Amino acid sequence: MTSNLSHLVNTIWADAQGNLKDLLANSIHSYILADVVRAEGILLQIKECFEKKDEKLKTLSEEFYSIIKLKKNNNVLDNAKIISRMFDLCQVVKDVVGVSESTNWKTIPSLNAKYKALGCNIKELHYEALVHFIRGLLLPKVVVDQHGGERTDVGMLGNGIYFASAASTCIKYSKPSQTSGSRFMLLCELNLGKTKVKKHIVEFKLASDNVHHTLNNDVSEDEGIESDFDSESELSIKDVDSVQDPLSKVVSGLQSSTNQPVPLTAVHIRAKLQEFSSEKLMFKNIICSFEAFINGKHIVGKVKEKEQARKEYKEAIQQGHGAYLMEEQEESPDVFTVTVGNLPPNSDVLIKITYVAELSLEDDQISFSLPGCVAPWVKDQALATKMQKTATKAVVKMNDPLGTSFQLLIALAEIHVPRMWVQKSPQDSDKQACMLSFFPEFDGDIGDHEVIFLIDASNSLKDHFIELQKLVYLTYEKMPQSTKFNMVIFNDTYKELFPYSRFKDESKQQVMSLLKLLKNCNGGTHLWSVLKMIEMLSCESTMKNVFLFSDGHIFDEISTLARIRNLKKNVRLFTFGVGTTPNKHILQKMACLGSGYFEYFDKNAKSKWQKKVELQLEKCQQPVLTNIKIHWIQHDEDAPKPLQAPNEITTLFNGNRLVVYGFVPHCTMANLSAILNGKELNTIVSTSELSTTVGLTIHRLAAKSVINDWNDGMLHQDQYKHEAIKAEMKGKIIQLSIEYSIVTKFTSFIAVEERE
């Protein structure tokens, strides 16, 4: 790299870092991309509130400043100019944080790392005749009106880009660099108003410029990361393969404050099955009712915001009252704990818990199961085996011991026919919840296929490379022997395991050698260039399944998504999320655009890794429905817009069921559309007014589905709008939890027994 080019790179880098140091209260290295994206989502809310003159501006501004901390001027974002500047600031922070991955997170990065971070090709050219100088940019009116931009020229010729042949005309529009004091001017060769390829950057200073900061041109070398997996050892996956589910170790029944078992007199279970859902008086899934009977008193629990519920529980205990608190465990949302306070001695207490659940499918049969984890089954009290049945009713009594669980399998005559259920609220007939079940059956043969492992070896995964190694190796081990595959590790560049795909047989040593390279994770996540290579080498006669192992923090998101959109029909992308702070939104979006599926592999839930890997391998051998859309047909033009979950439907593979919920008033019909092998499919699903039921079961399932979608789904294709919608919906999520008595991470059940 020449001295002039080195100077230019250092100037650009120092200016970007210098501006942020003057503005930000925290170091730029303390930010992560997920937080910056969340801040941009808040800015979108602020922009909408500003246009509507909403009173939430102060609260939203404080929320923004809690993420992007400034040294000064933490004023309310109440004008277009300031809002636009904050958008620009977020973009610069994102750029610097993103490219810091390419510079190996060094305070003094190497010159080559800085050059790579710019993401463009700059070369020094010898002197050529200077033809035209850019005159400056006259901002379009929309920039001035909506973004508070300021024009540098009143302009006589309208909005647009102007050119001049005199350097003196351009100089007055330039500003000196804060670090080097230099000004820059772009030279272009013009041909009938169209810019040709040749562009030149000219650096200059004026006598009046008094900025004399010194650029830091020190070079630091990157250091590798040591691994516990060396060249002589073999990578162990014992902690991720066939791992016992931690929930199986949970001690059942009631425990005292000293973890001593408290014997339960009896456990009674009553269940009501309604099509694909069930309502049970038991303890699991969507808890919707909590009651306690003690010494002749009936106490009914209420759902309240978690902090308020904890406060009331603590106050009740201090005042000598009885209290019951039910909460969802943050680590395991399917596990709930009930805390009982001030239980009198020698008292008979009956705790009644009601929950609703969506029934699962096993081999085309509906499965209704009861686990034995609430309390051990009393085997000597099991019922005798008897069966009585008519055309519409069957009674089954069991004689044999139940063991550890109970399961009832129900076969439907036409399980693959789309179904729709509608339920009105008993409190308000205008409130209506709908449930759609779509379980298509189509040709399951995709012919020859191969698997390409794309393994992210960038800097953002340097602290997770062991998990990454184990996940890739686990997937390789579970892959069928007859599968052709190849592996590619990538960061700024990429390295292939084989020149072409090979069968799995006798490839173990080569795979181990490649995975050892992950101990030196560094550089950026330049995924788009690898996808370009795959697209160029793909053969239309063979299905190519791409397995991407990444945290989703990719460089040049726009180019990457465009490359995925342009993939051939025989190339599909499956994403495997790793790391503690993955960008789940972009991983879901890439899988959706690539006609694949997304799974996140949490290091704290390794017992689920094997099952998730097996599901991905199963899906990659099946045809897939894409572009799935649902149009709810409402009979009232003034009806509110449907609230659907999941909001963005990704893909549906053969043998999988899609269940969609919606709060949709005045609706008994929906149109489902999808694309299979390039052909559009449409089907109408409906129910009659006579089949409409009254109750809360589907309402609660719909509410829980909306809450789950808010937590883990994709609310909008655009990530900034996704974050904005998520922030706006938080109040709605809490309101749904309270209205339908659902325990979530924001809410808890609280019941207080007042005593004299």
Side-chain angles (χ1 to χ4, degrees), residues 91-158:
Q91 186 61 54
V92 174
V93 172
K94 271 178 55 181
D95 289 342
V96 174
V97 170
V99 300
S100 291
E101 188 179 42
S102 293
T103 65
N104 298 330
W105 307 99
K106 299 291 183 181
T107 306
I108 308 175
S110 69
L111 186 60
N112 285 333
K114 293 177 185 178
Y115 179 79
K116 286 182 180 180
L118 294 177
C120 59
N121 185 21
I122 306 175
K123 295 182 179 179
E124 183 176 9
L125 300 178
H126 295 291
Y127 173 80
E128 292 184 18
L130 306 182
V131 183
H132 295 290
F133 293 87
I134 187 168
R135 173 173 172 258
L137 176 65
L138 180 60
L139 298 176
K141 190 175 186 297
V142 65
V143 176
V144 179
D145 294 344
Q146 296 186 14
H147 299 279
E150 295 180 352
R151 294 177 173 177
T152 55
D153 182 1
V154 293
M156 302 301 291
L157 301 175

Side-chain angles (χ1 to χ4, degrees), residues 148 201 205 307 424 735:
I201 296 177
K205 292 183 181 180
E307 293 304 318
K424 292 184 180 295
Q735 179 245 321

Side-chain angles (χ1 to χ4, degrees), residues 176-209:
S177 163
Q178 295 183 4
T179 53
S180 67
S182 298
R183 299 172 186 250
F184 292 93
M185 191 178 301
L186 180 67
L187 285 77
C188 303
E189 292 186 17
L190 299 184
N191 181 18
L192 298 178
K194 294 184 179 180
T195 307
K196 293 177 66 176
V197 175
K198 289 186 178 180
K199 305 180 183 70
H200 313 287
I201 296 177
V202 175
E203 181 182 4
F204 64 96
K205 292 183 181 180
L206 301 181
S208 57
D209 294 339

